[in-house]
Amino acid sequence: MSGDAVRGDNVRGDAGRLRDWVLGTCQDLGLPLRHDEDDFFEAGGTSLSAAKLIGRAEEEFGEDALPPEALFEGSTVGELVATLARHVPATARDREG
């Protein structure tokens, strides 16, 4: 297997773990998100639940894992996963899985 294929599998695995974390955490907050296109705020997310999501991301993955401005700029599940993937070091993602 080529190095590119291995890296591709790791990225997909990381995205899957991050997606599961986003969906699970949002559901814990009472938001019925299930798909990448589902929007945090359209599903009933408020500034308070956004602060809770950001706080839980910091607890789980470290400081600045989910910057507040990123949540307000892109609030679908897919966008939240992409933001976490950009900001969370791979070592922190490994702790989650």
Side-chain angles (χ1 to χ4, degrees):
M1 183 179 300
S2 76
D4 288 341
V6 171
R7 279 190 296 276
D9 288 344
N10 289 341
V11 169
R12 282 190 293 278
D14 286 347
R17 284 190 293 275
L18 292 172
R19 182 179 186 276
D20 289 346
W21 183 87
V22 168
L23 290 174
T25 303
C26 287
Q27 289 177 3
D28 287 348
L29 295 172
L31 303 174
L33 300 176
R34 289 181 175 65
H35 305 286
D36 285 347
E37 303 80 23
D38 291 346
D39 186 274
F40 179 86
F41 293 108
E42 289 177 7
T46 63
S47 58
L48 179 58
S49 56
K52 288 179 181 180
L53 179 65
I54 291 164
R56 289 186 186 186
E58 287 182 356
E59 289 174 5
E60 185 69 31
F61 302 113
E63 190 173 339
D64 296 325
L66 186 58
E69 63 276 6
L71 178 61
F72 291 100
E73 292 170 2
S75 56
T76 66
V77 169
E79 291 166 327
L80 295 173
V81 169
T83 297
L84 286 169
R86 283 192 306 275
H87 289 93
V88 175
T91 54
R93 284 182 249 154
D94 290 342
R95 277 187 288 157
E96 210 286 299

